[in-house]
Amino acid sequence: MIRHSYTASESWKGLPWKKFRKNLFRLQKRIFKAVQVGDKRKARSLQKLILKSRAARYLAIRQVTQLNAGKNTAGIDGKKSLSFKERFALEELLKSNHSNWHHQGLREIPIPKKDGTTRLLKIPCIADRAWQCLAKYALEPAHEATFHTHSYGFRTGRSAHDAQRYIFQNLRSSCNGIDKRVIELDIEKCFDRIDHKIIMDSLISPKGLKLGIFRCLKSGLNPGFPDQGTPQGGVVSPLLANIALNGIEKIHRQKDHRKASGYIEPSVRYADDMVIILKPQDNADEILAQISEFLAQRGMNVSAKKTQITAATDGFDFLGWNFKVQKNGKFRTTPSVGNFKAFRKKVKAIVNNSNYGAKVKAEKLAPLVRGWRGYHRYCKMDGARNSLYHIETRAYKVFNKETKLTRYSSKTLLEQAFPAVPYSENRHVMVTGEKSPYDGDIAYWSKRNSKLYDGETSKALKRQNHSCASCGIKFIDEERVHLHHIDGNHANWKRNNLEALHESCHDYQHMGKGE
């Protein structure tokens, strides 16, 4: 119970978050192992415990109100955030209604697509997002035990860089990538056309949770397609899409005597984006026919306009990268033209904005440039376009003009705006086989997650033995790692002033109290 002598803020910060994390993870690990051995009855029983768990409820509320990227996006009720008092009230609501949750309507936001059309992002209200996050805590470990090895999108412990590395392993010179082709598969309106019956039949969940998911699907009703679609923008929607598409990776198989099964499945999927790698003797039309049949059973179609068969030597785009086997047989990855143009447009909008000065521009540019360069750190980046020389030159001219009458030098601001990020082509270490963070191998996952960071963050993680300096828990979940300056001076980069923290722990440090 909450002590009434505390303020709501103090009560929230004083909750035993470390204990909550451990309690939830222990249940999720048991669910994963139960499904692995085929005991779905036990898994459903454990899922009920998660829905009833105080720890899971508070962590779900914290996730959607404090940590998620869209935490300040309003739903149909117009609420952009919850006060600490409202968070406690929401926990009580989840406690009494977790097995009989009714979803409100969705706020629709049109998002422009690259081809000039728009898609509707459907945003649930905060309460519905909290319930969906709670549902995800229960559903995800069960289905992680069933997902295919080469599915990398929106899965805990896996990333786009795993997909990038897998393509490299299949198209490099030692694998005769120069002779191979790829099918660039595009699923037409994937999220809008997923058949509800397929999702409901595939769910591993107790009745109360299944009913809540059914109501979640119906809340994003498509006119003309009442039994199809999962609303984009929901917390649980990517997981539901993965559940519906699971198994498509097995359609194309190739013989490989090095594998115990005698076969490999050279397909890589990231959510609804997929690349299928073909040897010269593979029949592409036959494979596409099988994929079309698989999708038709799920209410979806292959996009004839966007799906194409491409020679590896001609190059293809996937996840913001361009992959190409050169004439000498060597494999090369670079940022795609479209990805670079979108990034350049964002940088130009900041640099040319006259509403704020060079110092603010540098602060806004730094995370944008660091993020772009970090995403492409395993690419070939020696081209003039990717060096960002022309963009930096333009920024220097603008900064130099704007800082003449201030004490900030344009050179210092430029270094802040365009931070150096090391490149190491094809050095990413892929996730091993079918491993999952829910398998309980904490040593493996803490070390692996630490490798996803570089620079001072990586050094701090190694010093701390891959554990958070505040709560002491290993970095094994999806929560981001933040680098904390102990003395509050962000210009002090001395080793003893830096420590790695969970994002939530970092938040509490700046609130004045850790977890």
Side-chain angles (χ1 to χ4, degrees), residues 252-275:
H252 175 48
R253 308 178 81 194
Q254 293 175 350
K255 288 185 178 180
D256 190 333
H257 65 275
R258 294 170 296 178
K259 298 289 181 181
S261 63
Y263 289 93
I264 59 169
E265 290 149 359
S267 306
V268 55
R269 181 171 67 85
Y270 193 94
D272 58 334
D273 290 327
M274 189 171 178
V275 166

mmCIF file with all atom_site columns, all heavy atoms in Angstrom, residues 252-275:
data_model
loop_
_atom_site.group_PDB
_atom_site.id
_atom_site.type_symbol
_atom_site.label_atom_id
_atom_site.label_alt_id
_atom_site.label_comp_id
_atom_site.label_asym_id
_atom_site.label_entity_id
_atom_site.label_seq_id
_atom_site.pdbx_PDB_ins_code
_atom_site.Cartn_x
_atom_site.Cartn_y
_atom_site.Cartn_z
_atom_site.occupancy
_atom_site.B_iso_or_equiv
_atom_site.pdbx_formal_charge
_atom_site.auth_seq_id
_atom_site.auth_comp_id
_atom_site.auth_asym_id
_atom_site.auth_atom_id
_atom_site.pdbx_PDB_model_num
ATOM 1   N N   . HIS A 1 252 ? 11.031 -21.266 -48.255 1.00 0.00 ? 252 HIS A N   1
ATOM 2   C CA  . HIS A 1 252 ? 12.161 -21.536 -49.154 1.00 0.00 ? 252 HIS A CA  1
ATOM 3   C C   . HIS A 1 252 ? 13.295 -22.198 -48.386 1.00 0.00 ? 252 HIS A C   1
ATOM 4   O O   . HIS A 1 252 ? 13.823 -21.626 -47.430 1.00 0.00 ? 252 HIS A O   1
ATOM 5   C CB  . HIS A 1 252 ? 12.655 -20.236 -49.793 1.00 0.00 ? 252 HIS A CB  1
ATOM 6   C CG  . HIS A 1 252 ? 13.890 -20.411 -50.631 1.00 0.00 ? 252 HIS A CG  1
ATOM 7   N ND1 . HIS A 1 252 ? 14.012 -21.417 -51.568 1.00 0.00 ? 252 HIS A ND1 1
ATOM 8   C CD2 . HIS A 1 252 ? 15.070 -19.715 -50.660 1.00 0.00 ? 252 HIS A CD2 1
ATOM 9   C CE1 . HIS A 1 252 ? 15.197 -21.331 -52.139 1.00 0.00 ? 252 HIS A CE1 1
ATOM 10  N NE2 . HIS A 1 252 ? 15.861 -20.321 -51.604 1.00 0.00 ? 252 HIS A NE2 1
ATOM 11  N N   . ARG A 1 253 ? 13.663 -23.405 -48.803 1.00 0.00 ? 253 ARG A N   1
ATOM 12  C CA  . ARG A 1 253 ? 14.737 -24.158 -48.149 1.00 0.00 ? 253 ARG A CA  1
ATOM 13  C C   . ARG A 1 253 ? 15.784 -24.564 -49.168 1.00 0.00 ? 253 ARG A C   1
ATOM 14  O O   . ARG A 1 253 ? 15.476 -24.822 -50.327 1.00 0.00 ? 253 ARG A O   1
ATOM 15  C CB  . ARG A 1 253 ? 14.183 -25.399 -47.453 1.00 0.00 ? 253 ARG A CB  1
ATOM 16  C CG  . ARG A 1 253 ? 13.022 -25.136 -46.516 1.00 0.00 ? 253 ARG A CG  1
ATOM 17  C CD  . ARG A 1 253 ? 12.508 -26.420 -45.916 1.00 0.00 ? 253 ARG A CD  1
ATOM 18  N NE  . ARG A 1 253 ? 13.317 -26.857 -44.802 1.00 0.00 ? 253 ARG A NE  1
ATOM 19  C CZ  . ARG A 1 253 ? 13.257 -28.076 -44.257 1.00 0.00 ? 253 ARG A CZ  1
ATOM 20  N NH1 . ARG A 1 253 ? 12.439 -28.983 -44.758 1.00 0.00 ? 253 ARG A NH1 1
ATOM 21  N NH2 . ARG A 1 253 ? 14.012 -28.398 -43.239 1.00 0.00 ? 253 ARG A NH2 1
ATOM 22  N N   . GLN A 1 254 ? 17.034 -24.606 -48.722 1.00 0.00 ? 254 GLN A N   1
ATOM 23  C CA  . GLN A 1 254 ? 18.138 -25.056 -49.578 1.00 0.00 ? 254 GLN A CA  1
ATOM 24  C C   . GLN A 1 254 ? 18.921 -26.141 -48.853 1.00 0.00 ? 254 GLN A C   1
ATOM 25  O O   . GLN A 1 254 ? 19.057 -26.098 -47.628 1.00 0.00 ? 254 GLN A O   1
ATOM 26  C CB  . GLN A 1 254 ? 19.078 -23.883 -49.912 1.00 0.00 ? 254 GLN A CB  1
ATOM 27  C CG  . GLN A 1 254 ? 18.460 -22.815 -50.786 1.00 0.00 ? 254 GLN A CG  1
ATOM 28  C CD  . GLN A 1 254 ? 19.382 -21.623 -50.975 1.00 0.00 ? 254 GLN A CD  1
ATOM 29  O OE1 . GLN A 1 254 ? 20.419 -21.494 -50.323 1.00 0.00 ? 254 GLN A OE1 1
ATOM 30  N NE2 . GLN A 1 254 ? 18.992 -20.716 -51.872 1.00 0.00 ? 254 GLN A NE2 1
ATOM 31  N N   . LYS A 1 255 ? 19.431 -27.090 -49.599 1.00 0.00 ? 255 LYS A N   1
ATOM 32  C CA  . LYS A 1 255 ? 20.219 -28.171 -49.000 1.00 0.00 ? 255 LYS A CA  1
ATOM 33  C C   . LYS A 1 255 ? 21.568 -27.643 -48.522 1.00 0.00 ? 255 LYS A C   1
ATOM 34  O O   . LYS A 1 255 ? 22.198 -26.832 -49.190 1.00 0.00 ? 255 LYS A O   1
ATOM 35  C CB  . LYS A 1 255 ? 20.438 -29.292 -50.014 1.00 0.00 ? 255 LYS A CB  1
ATOM 36  C CG  . LYS A 1 255 ? 19.171 -30.100 -50.290 1.00 0.00 ? 255 LYS A CG  1
ATOM 37  C CD  . LYS A 1 255 ? 19.465 -31.263 -51.213 1.00 0.00 ? 255 LYS A CD  1
ATOM 38  C CE  . LYS A 1 255 ? 18.204 -32.096 -51.451 1.00 0.00 ? 255 LYS A CE  1
ATOM 39  N NZ  . LYS A 1 255 ? 18.460 -33.246 -52.361 1.00 0.00 ? 255 LYS A NZ  1
ATOM 40  N N   . ASP A 1 256 ? 21.970 -28.121 -47.347 1.00 0.00 ? 256 ASP A N   1
ATOM 41  C CA  . ASP A 1 256 ? 23.273 -27.745 -46.780 1.00 0.00 ? 256 ASP A CA  1
ATOM 42  C C   . ASP A 1 256 ? 23.748 -28.891 -45.899 1.00 0.00 ? 256 ASP A C   1
ATOM 43  O O   . ASP A 1 256 ? 23.192 -29.130 -44.823 1.00 0.00 ? 256 ASP A O   1
ATOM 44  C CB  . ASP A 1 256 ? 23.151 -26.447 -45.973 1.00 0.00 ? 256 ASP A CB  1
ATOM 45  C CG  . ASP A 1 256 ? 24.508 -25.881 -45.579 1.00 0.00 ? 256 ASP A CG  1
ATOM 46  O OD1 . ASP A 1 256 ? 25.464 -26.669 -45.449 1.00 0.00 ? 256 ASP A OD1 1
ATOM 47  O OD2 . ASP A 1 256 ? 24.619 -24.659 -45.375 1.00 0.00 ? 256 ASP A OD2 1
ATOM 48  N N   . HIS A 1 257 ? 24.763 -29.593 -46.356 1.00 0.00 ? 257 HIS A N   1
ATOM 49  C CA  . HIS A 1 257 ? 25.242 -30.772 -45.631 1.00 0.00 ? 257 HIS A CA  1
ATOM 50  C C   . HIS A 1 257 ? 25.896 -30.418 -44.301 1.00 0.00 ? 257 HIS A C   1
ATOM 51  O O   . HIS A 1 257 ? 26.076 -31.272 -43.434 1.00 0.00 ? 257 HIS A O   1
ATOM 52  C CB  . HIS A 1 257 ? 26.245 -31.543 -46.492 1.00 0.00 ? 257 HIS A CB  1
ATOM 53  C CG  . HIS A 1 257 ? 27.508 -30.773 -46.784 1.00 0.00 ? 257 HIS A CG  1
ATOM 54  N ND1 . HIS A 1 257 ? 27.604 -29.871 -47.838 1.00 0.00 ? 257 HIS A ND1 1
ATOM 55  C CD2 . HIS A 1 257 ? 28.710 -30.745 -46.151 1.00 0.00 ? 257 HIS A CD2 1
ATOM 56  C CE1 . HIS A 1 257 ? 28.814 -29.343 -47.853 1.00 0.00 ? 257 HIS A CE1 1
ATOM 57  N NE2 . HIS A 1 257 ? 29.509 -29.841 -46.836 1.00 0.00 ? 257 HIS A NE2 1
ATOM 58  N N   . ARG A 1 258 ? 26.240 -29.105 -44.105 1.00 0.00 ? 258 ARG A N   1
ATOM 59  C CA  . ARG A 1 258 ? 26.895 -28.695 -42.861 1.00 0.00 ? 258 ARG A CA  1
ATOM 60  C C   . ARG A 1 258 ? 25.905 -28.615 -41.692 1.00 0.00 ? 258 ARG A C   1
ATOM 61  O O   . ARG A 1 258 ? 26.306 -28.612 -40.532 1.00 0.00 ? 258 ARG A O   1
ATOM 62  C CB  . ARG A 1 258 ? 27.575 -27.342 -43.048 1.00 0.00 ? 258 ARG A CB  1
ATOM 63  C CG  . ARG A 1 258 ? 28.736 -27.360 -44.035 1.00 0.00 ? 258 ARG A CG  1
ATOM 64  C CD  . ARG A 1 258 ? 29.210 -25.954 -44.353 1.00 0.00 ? 258 ARG A CD  1
ATOM 65  N NE  . ARG A 1 258 ? 28.159 -25.179 -45.021 1.00 0.00 ? 258 ARG A NE  1
ATOM 66  C CZ  . ARG A 1 258 ? 28.281 -23.914 -45.386 1.00 0.00 ? 258 ARG A CZ  1
ATOM 67  N NH1 . ARG A 1 258 ? 29.407 -23.272 -45.136 1.00 0.00 ? 258 ARG A NH1 1
ATOM 68  N NH2 . ARG A 1 258 ? 27.286 -23.287 -45.987 1.00 0.00 ? 258 ARG A NH2 1
ATOM 69  N N   . LYS A 1 259 ? 24.623 -28.520 -41.996 1.00 0.00 ? 259 LYS A N   1
ATOM 70  C CA  . LYS A 1 259 ? 23.605 -28.415 -40.955 1.00 0.00 ? 259 LYS A CA  1
ATOM 71  C C   . LYS A 1 259 ? 23.106 -29.797 -40.549 1.00 0.00 ? 259 LYS A C   1
ATOM 72  O O   . LYS A 1 259 ? 22.991 -30.710 -41.382 1.00 0.00 ? 259 LYS A O   1
ATOM 73  C CB  . LYS A 1 259 ? 22.420 -27.564 -41.443 1.00 0.00 ? 259 LYS A CB  1
ATOM 74  C CG  . LYS A 1 259 ? 22.795 -26.122 -41.788 1.00 0.00 ? 259 LYS A CG  1
ATOM 75  C CD  . LYS A 1 259 ? 23.110 -25.333 -40.541 1.00 0.00 ? 259 LYS A CD  1
ATOM 76  C CE  . LYS A 1 259 ? 23.460 -23.897 -40.864 1.00 0.00 ? 259 LYS A CE  1
ATOM 77  N NZ  . LYS A 1 259 ? 23.786 -23.112 -39.665 1.00 0.00 ? 259 LYS A NZ  1
ATOM 78  N N   . ALA A 1 260 ? 22.751 -29.939 -39.281 1.00 0.00 ? 260 ALA A N   1
ATOM 79  C CA  . ALA A 1 260 ? 22.271 -31.232 -38.774 1.00 0.00 ? 260 ALA A CA  1
ATOM 80  C C   . ALA A 1 260 ? 20.990 -31.655 -39.480 1.00 0.00 ? 260 ALA A C   1
ATOM 81  O O   . ALA A 1 260 ? 20.773 -32.834 -39.745 1.00 0.00 ? 260 ALA A O   1
ATOM 82  C CB  . ALA A 1 260 ? 22.045 -31.141 -37.266 1.00 0.00 ? 260 ALA A CB  1
ATOM 83  N N   . SER A 1 261 ? 20.131 -30.672 -39.798 1.00 0.00 ? 261 SER A N   1
ATOM 84  C CA  . SER A 1 261 ? 18.864 -30.969 -40.468 1.00 0.00 ? 261 SER A CA  1
ATOM 85  C C   . SER A 1 261 ? 19.053 -31.244 -41.952 1.00 0.00 ? 261 SER A C   1
ATOM 86  O O   . SER A 1 261 ? 18.173 -31.795 -42.619 1.00 0.00 ? 261 SER A O   1
ATOM 87  C CB  . SER A 1 261 ? 17.897 -29.796 -40.309 1.00 0.00 ? 261 SER A CB  1
ATOM 88  O OG  . SER A 1 261 ? 18.424 -28.638 -40.940 1.00 0.00 ? 261 SER A OG  1
ATOM 89  N N   . GLY A 1 262 ? 20.225 -30.839 -42.486 1.00 0.00 ? 262 GLY A N   1
ATOM 90  C CA  . GLY A 1 262 ? 20.483 -31.006 -43.912 1.00 0.00 ? 262 GLY A CA  1
ATOM 91  C C   . GLY A 1 262 ? 19.968 -29.865 -44.764 1.00 0.00 ? 262 GLY A C   1
ATOM 92  O O   . GLY A 1 262 ? 20.141 -29.869 -45.986 1.00 0.00 ? 262 GLY A O   1
ATOM 93  N N   . TYR A 1 263 ? 19.326 -28.858 -44.127 1.00 0.00 ? 263 TYR A N   1
ATOM 94  C CA  . TYR A 1 263 ? 18.750 -27.742 -44.867 1.00 0.00 ? 263 TYR A CA  1
ATOM 95  C C   . TYR A 1 263 ? 19.050 -26.418 -44.155 1.00 0.00 ? 263 TYR A C   1
ATOM 96  O O   . TYR A 1 263 ? 19.249 -26.366 -42.936 1.00 0.00 ? 263 TYR A O   1
ATOM 97  C CB  . TYR A 1 263 ? 17.234 -27.890 -44.991 1.00 0.00 ? 263 TYR A CB  1
ATOM 98  C CG  . TYR A 1 263 ? 16.793 -28.992 -45.916 1.00 0.00 ? 263 TYR A CG  1
ATOM 99  C CD1 . TYR A 1 263 ? 16.529 -30.271 -45.417 1.00 0.00 ? 263 TYR A CD1 1
ATOM 100 C CD2 . TYR A 1 263 ? 16.628 -28.764 -47.276 1.00 0.00 ? 263 TYR A CD2 1
ATOM 101 C CE1 . TYR A 1 263 ? 16.120 -31.292 -46.252 1.00 0.00 ? 263 TYR A CE1 1
ATOM 102 C CE2 . TYR A 1 263 ? 16.218 -29.777 -48.125 1.00 0.00 ? 263 TYR A CE2 1
ATOM 103 C CZ  . TYR A 1 263 ? 15.964 -31.033 -47.618 1.00 0.00 ? 263 TYR A CZ  1
ATOM 104 O OH  . TYR A 1 263 ? 15.561 -32.051 -48.449 1.00 0.00 ? 263 TYR A OH  1
ATOM 105 N N   . ILE A 1 264 ? 19.064 -25.356 -44.946 1.00 0.00 ? 264 ILE A N   1
ATOM 106 C CA  . ILE A 1 264 ? 19.054 -24.005 -44.397 1.00 0.00 ? 264 ILE A CA  1
ATOM 107 C C   . ILE A 1 264 ? 17.869 -23.260 -45.020 1.00 0.00 ? 264 ILE A C   1
ATOM 108 O O   . ILE A 1 264 ? 17.350 -23.668 -46.064 1.00 0.00 ? 264 ILE A O   1
ATOM 109 C CB  . ILE A 1 264 ? 20.366 -23.229 -44.693 1.00 0.00 ? 264 ILE A CB  1
ATOM 110 C CG1 . ILE A 1 264 ? 20.598 -23.117 -46.204 1.00 0.00 ? 264 ILE A CG1 1
ATOM 111 C CG2 . ILE A 1 264 ? 21.539 -23.857 -43.988 1.00 0.00 ? 264 ILE A CG2 1
ATOM 112 C CD1 . ILE A 1 264 ? 21.708 -22.149 -46.566 1.00 0.00 ? 264 ILE A CD1 1
ATOM 113 N N   . GLU A 1 265 ? 17.450 -22.201 -44.366 1.00 0.00 ? 265 GLU A N   1
ATOM 114 C CA  . GLU A 1 265 ? 16.334 -21.386 -44.864 1.00 0.00 ? 265 GLU A CA  1
ATOM 115 C C   . GLU A 1 265 ? 16.855 -19.963 -45.082 1.00 0.00 ? 265 GLU A C   1
ATOM 116 O O   . GLU A 1 265 ? 16.847 -19.146 -44.153 1.00 0.00 ? 265 GLU A O   1
ATOM 117 C CB  . GLU A 1 265 ? 15.181 -21.427 -43.852 1.00 0.00 ? 265 GLU A CB  1
ATOM 118 C CG  . GLU A 1 265 ? 14.523 -22.794 -43.803 1.00 0.00 ? 265 GLU A CG  1
ATOM 119 C CD  . GLU A 1 265 ? 13.952 -23.154 -42.435 1.00 0.00 ? 265 GLU A CD  1
ATOM 120 O OE1 . GLU A 1 265 ? 14.075 -22.342 -41.507 1.00 0.00 ? 265 GLU A OE1 1
ATOM 121 O OE2 . GLU A 1 265 ? 13.407 -24.251 -42.308 1.00 0.00 ? 265 GLU A OE2 1
ATOM 122 N N   . PRO A 1 266 ? 17.355 -19.673 -46.295 1.00 0.00 ? 266 PRO A N   1
ATOM 123 C CA  . PRO A 1 266 ? 18.028 -18.388 -46.545 1.00 0.00 ? 266 PRO A CA  1
ATOM 124 C C   . PRO A 1 266 ? 17.050 -17.235 -46.773 1.00 0.00 ? 266 PRO A C   1
ATOM 125 O O   . PRO A 1 266 ? 17.037 -16.612 -47.832 1.00 0.00 ? 266 PRO A O   1
ATOM 126 C CB  . PRO A 1 266 ? 18.855 -18.686 -47.797 1.00 0.00 ? 266 PRO A CB  1
ATOM 127 C CG  . PRO A 1 266 ? 18.040 -19.686 -48.533 1.00 0.00 ? 266 PRO A CG  1
ATOM 128 C CD  . PRO A 1 266 ? 17.349 -20.522 -47.496 1.00 0.00 ? 266 PRO A CD  1
ATOM 129 N N   . SER A 1 267 ? 16.233 -16.967 -45.790 1.00 0.00 ? 267 SER A N   1
ATOM 130 C CA  . SER A 1 267 ? 15.297 -15.847 -45.840 1.00 0.00 ? 267 SER A CA  1
ATOM 131 C C   . SER A 1 267 ? 15.515 -15.008 -44.586 1.00 0.00 ? 267 SER A C   1
ATOM 132 O O   . SER A 1 267 ? 15.861 -15.536 -43.531 1.00 0.00 ? 267 SER A O   1
ATOM 133 C CB  . SER A 1 267 ? 13.847 -16.342 -45.869 1.00 0.00 ? 267 SER A CB  1
ATOM 134 O OG  . SER A 1 267 ? 13.650 -17.259 -46.916 1.00 0.00 ? 267 SER A OG  1
ATOM 135 N N   . VAL A 1 268 ? 15.317 -13.709 -44.704 1.00 0.00 ? 268 VAL A N   1
ATOM 136 C CA  . VAL A 1 268 ? 15.454 -12.836 -43.549 1.00 0.00 ? 268 VAL A CA  1
ATOM 137 C C   . VAL A 1 268 ? 14.245 -11.907 -43.531 1.00 0.00 ? 268 VAL A C   1
ATOM 138 O O   . VAL A 1 268 ? 13.887 -11.295 -44.534 1.00 0.00 ? 268 VAL A O   1
ATOM 139 C CB  . VAL A 1 268 ? 16.782 -12.058 -43.580 1.00 0.00 ? 268 VAL A CB  1
ATOM 140 C CG1 . VAL A 1 268 ? 16.948 -11.275 -44.877 1.00 0.00 ? 268 VAL A CG1 1
ATOM 141 C CG2 . VAL A 1 268 ? 16.919 -11.141 -42.393 1.00 0.00 ? 268 VAL A CG2 1
ATOM 142 N N   . ARG A 1 269 ? 13.604 -11.837 -42.370 1.00 0.00 ? 269 ARG A N   1
ATOM 143 C CA  . ARG A 1 269 ? 12.394 -11.010 -42.243 1.00 0.00 ? 269 ARG A CA  1
ATOM 144 C C   . ARG A 1 269 ? 12.554 -10.012 -41.112 1.00 0.00 ? 269 ARG A C   1
ATOM 145 O O   . ARG A 1 269 ? 13.048 -10.355 -40.038 1.00 0.00 ? 269 ARG A O   1
ATOM 146 C CB  . ARG A 1 269 ? 11.157 -11.886 -41.981 1.00 0.00 ? 269 ARG A CB  1
ATOM 147 C CG  . ARG A 1 269 ? 9.860  -11.083 -41.875 1.00 0.00 ? 269 ARG A CG  1
ATOM 148 C CD  . ARG A 1 269 ? 8.645  -11.994 -41.833 1.00 0.00 ? 269 ARG A CD  1
ATOM 149 N NE  . ARG A 1 269 ? 8.590  -12.791 -40.624 1.00 0.00 ? 269 ARG A NE  1
ATOM 150 C CZ  . ARG A 1 269 ? 8.072  -12.368 -39.461 1.00 0.00 ? 269 ARG A CZ  1
ATOM 151 N NH1 . ARG A 1 269 ? 7.588  -11.141 -39.348 1.00 0.00 ? 269 ARG A NH1 1
ATOM 152 N NH2 . ARG A 1 269 ? 8.051  -13.170 -38.411 1.00 0.00 ? 269 ARG A NH2 1
ATOM 153 N N   . TYR A 1 270 ? 12.135 -8.782  -41.383 1.00 0.00 ? 270 TYR A N   1
ATOM 154 C CA  . TYR A 1 270 ? 12.094 -7.747  -40.354 1.00 0.00 ? 270 TYR A CA  1
ATOM 155 C C   . TYR A 1 270 ? 10.679 -7.185  -40.382 1.00 0.00 ? 270 TYR A C   1
ATOM 156 O O   . TYR A 1 270 ? 10.332 -6.369  -41.232 1.00 0.00 ? 270 TYR A O   1
ATOM 157 C CB  . TYR A 1 270 ? 13.122 -6.643  -40.628 1.00 0.00 ? 270 TYR A CB  1
ATOM 158 C CG  . TYR A 1 270 ? 13.331 -5.720  -39.452 1.00 0.00 ? 270 TYR A CG  1
ATOM 159 C CD1 . TYR A 1 270 ? 14.345 -5.944  -38.533 1.00 0.00 ? 270 TYR A CD1 1
ATOM 160 C CD2 . TYR A 1 270 ? 12.469 -4.637  -39.236 1.00 0.00 ? 270 TYR A CD2 1
ATOM 161 C CE1 . TYR A 1 270 ? 14.531 -5.113  -37.443 1.00 0.00 ? 270 TYR A CE1 1
ATOM 162 C CE2 . TYR A 1 270 ? 12.648 -3.801  -38.147 1.00 0.00 ? 270 TYR A CE2 1
ATOM 163 C CZ  . TYR A 1 270 ? 13.669 -4.036  -37.258 1.00 0.00 ? 270 TYR A CZ  1
ATOM 164 O OH  . TYR A 1 270 ? 13.829 -3.207  -36.164 1.00 0.00 ? 270 TYR A OH  1
ATOM 165 N N   . ALA A 1 271 ? 9.824  -7.677  -39.449 1.00 0.00 ? 271 ALA A N   1
ATOM 166 C CA  . ALA A 1 271 ? 8.393  -7.330  -39.435 1.00 0.00 ? 271 ALA A CA  1
ATOM 167 C C   . ALA A 1 271 ? 7.780  -7.745  -40.772 1.00 0.00 ? 271 ALA A C   1
ATOM 168 O O   . ALA A 1 271 ? 7.812  -8.916  -41.119 1.00 0.00 ? 271 ALA A O   1
ATOM 169 C CB  . ALA A 1 271 ? 8.197  -5.854  -39.125 1.00 0.00 ? 271 ALA A CB  1
ATOM 170 N N   . ASP A 1 272 ? 7.270  -6.780  -41.580 1.00 0.00 ? 272 ASP A N   1
ATOM 171 C CA  . ASP A 1 272 ? 6.636  -7.146  -42.850 1.00 0.00 ? 272 ASP A CA  1
ATOM 172 C C   . ASP A 1 272 ? 7.580  -6.957  -44.038 1.00 0.00 ? 272 ASP A C   1
ATOM 173 O O   . ASP A 1 272 ? 7.154  -7.100  -45.194 1.00 0.00 ? 272 ASP A O   1
ATOM 174 C CB  . ASP A 1 272 ? 5.358  -6.335  -43.070 1.00 0.00 ? 272 ASP A CB  1
ATOM 175 C CG  . ASP A 1 272 ? 5.608  -4.834  -43.060 1.00 0.00 ? 272 ASP A CG  1
ATOM 176 O OD1 . ASP A 1 272 ? 6.581  -4.394  -42.433 1.00 0.00 ? 272 ASP A OD1 1
ATOM 177 O OD2 . ASP A 1 272 ? 4.811  -4.097  -43.680 1.00 0.00 ? 272 ASP A OD2 1
ATOM 178 N N   . ASP A 1 273 ? 8.850  -6.630  -43.794 1.00 0.00 ? 273 ASP A N   1
ATOM 179 C CA  . ASP A 1 273 ? 9.851  -6.532  -44.861 1.00 0.00 ? 273 ASP A CA  1
ATOM 180 C C   . ASP A 1 273 ? 10.641 -7.834  -44.917 1.00 0.00 ? 273 ASP A C   1
ATOM 181 O O   . ASP A 1 273 ? 11.096 -8.338  -43.890 1.00 0.00 ? 273 ASP A O   1
ATOM 182 C CB  . ASP A 1 273 ? 10.820 -5.367  -44.607 1.00 0.00 ? 273 ASP A CB  1
ATOM 183 C CG  . ASP A 1 273 ? 10.148 -4.020  -44.774 1.00 0.00 ? 273 ASP A CG  1
ATOM 184 O OD1 . ASP A 1 273 ? 9.238  -3.924  -45.626 1.00 0.00 ? 273 ASP A OD1 1
ATOM 185 O OD2 . ASP A 1 273 ? 10.499 -3.073  -44.054 1.00 0.00 ? 273 ASP A OD2 1
ATOM 186 N N   . MET A 1 274 ? 10.853 -8.350  -46.132 1.00 0.00 ? 274 MET A N   1
ATOM 187 C CA  . MET A 1 274 ? 11.497 -9.656  -46.232 1.00 0.00 ? 274 MET A CA  1
ATOM 188 C C   . MET A 1 274 ? 12.361 -9.749  -47.483 1.00 0.00 ? 274 MET A C   1
ATOM 189 O O   . MET A 1 274 ? 12.010 -9.212  -48.545 1.00 0.00 ? 274 MET A O   1
ATOM 190 C CB  . MET A 1 274 ? 10.426 -10.758 -46.254 1.00 0.00 ? 274 MET A CB  1
ATOM 191 C CG  . MET A 1 274 ? 10.978 -12.164 -46.150 1.00 0.00 ? 274 MET A CG  1
ATOM 192 S SD  . MET A 1 274 ? 9.656  -13.364 -45.916 1.00 0.00 ? 274 MET A SD  1
ATOM 193 C CE  . MET A 1 274 ? 10.592 -14.889 -45.906 1.00 0.00 ? 274 MET A CE  1
ATOM 194 N N   . VAL A 1 275 ? 13.494 -10.423 -47.358 1.00 0.00 ? 275 VAL A N   1
ATOM 195 C CA  . VAL A 1 275 ? 14.381 -10.711 -48.479 1.00 0.00 ? 275 VAL A CA  1
ATOM 196 C C   . VAL A 1 275 ? 14.616 -12.217 -48.503 1.00 0.00 ? 275 VAL A C   1
ATOM 197 O O   . VAL A 1 275 ? 14.915 -12.824 -47.476 1.00 0.00 ? 275 VAL A O   1
ATOM 198 C CB  . VAL A 1 275 ? 15.721 -9.955  -48.335 1.00 0.00 ? 275 VAL A CB  1
ATOM 199 C CG1 . VAL A 1 275 ? 16.761 -10.515 -49.293 1.00 0.00 ? 275 VAL A CG1 1
ATOM 200 C CG2 . VAL A 1 275 ? 15.532 -8.470  -48.593 1.00 0.00 ? 275 VAL A CG2 1
#
